[in-house]
Amino acid sequence: MKFLNKKVSVHFIDSASGESIGETRMDADDLPRSFDTPTQLSISGQDWTVVGAAPKHADEFRRTGRLVLHLSRIGTIAAHDVNFTLPTVSAEFPPVGDRVANDRGAVLTMREDDWRQIEFVAESFADAIADEFAAISDVITDNSLDRGDFVAYSECHVRRSVPRPLAAGIPDDELTSVLADARELLDGVGIRRDLGVQIVEHSFAREIGTIVIYGHVRDANVDLLGVQYLAGARDERSSAAEVIRSIMTAHGLVLIDWCRALRIECDNVSIERYLESMA
């Protein structure tokens, strides 16, 4: 039997600017059963139209407990002119706590939608990866729009086939040994929100070469391991590629770039080429 959440975390985004308007927890019964039809709402006296929802249907957002609504101020932007900025997002929220990063802390900061976009996945999930790639490729092929400086999407695929990407996980001490030479970002991962940069509970981040490897630890076991590219970082792709290859080899993993529906194989040449393509 599927568990349905009575409360849903709703994140509101201004579709014109891409900025967060705010977030709240709402009773699931107070939300529409579907956002397939035009929906309007009011926030602090301002009327908005829902021009995008991920996911669109109640059975999905009640199951995940998560809903992202892209809004347009009424009378300013036509719904057909507003789209998603990414072809896919993870169904899982980053598990943020109440702690907010301070100016002195070292933290990997990202948007909520960037969570788990590039990550290590167990090779045993090959079929699930292929299914997700097929859905993402459909969005990229059939629902992409050239906006000049960027590509937008009229649909957004919500990934839910690989909730625990590392399967049994990786013992925390084993990963710490592999990343011994990396610079530790003491506050781990932070998500940009209205209240500031909120720290992801039990997260860590290690900077090495042109990337940061970040993850989440549960009971001394790493159950999620992602990669974030460092814009403007020095050209140290070889050291970053070697660390990625070591992790993949030791634990039977592949590196997945979900937004590009791309699987990076376990050899230094493929990994370095991929890192170069991110520059």
Side-chain angles (χ1 to χ4, degrees), residues 190-212:
I191 304 298
R192 295 192 195 98
R193 291 191 169 175
D194 290 348
L195 297 177
V197 177
Q198 292 184 267
I199 302 299
V200 176
E201 293 183 324
H202 310 298
S203 67
F204 64 88
R206 303 288 189 275
E207 179 182 331
I208 184 164
T210 58
I211 62 171
V212 175

Side-chain angles (χ1 to χ4, degrees), residues 170 172-182 208 213 242-247 250-251:
I170 302 173
D172 187 24
D173 56 352
E174 289 187 20
L175 193 62
T176 299
S177 176
V178 174
L179 300 176
D181 294 331
I208 184 164
I213 293 179
E242 179 56 32
V243 169
I244 290 173
R245 188 197 62 77
S246 297
I247 293 172
H251 302 285

Side-chain angles (χ1 to χ4, degrees), residues 240-261:
E242 179 56 32
V243 169
I244 290 173
R245 188 197 62 77
S246 297
I247 293 172
M248 293 166 73
T249 301
H251 302 285
L253 306 174
V254 292
L255 185 64
I256 301 296
D257 184 331
W258 291 112
C259 284
R260 295 164 69 179

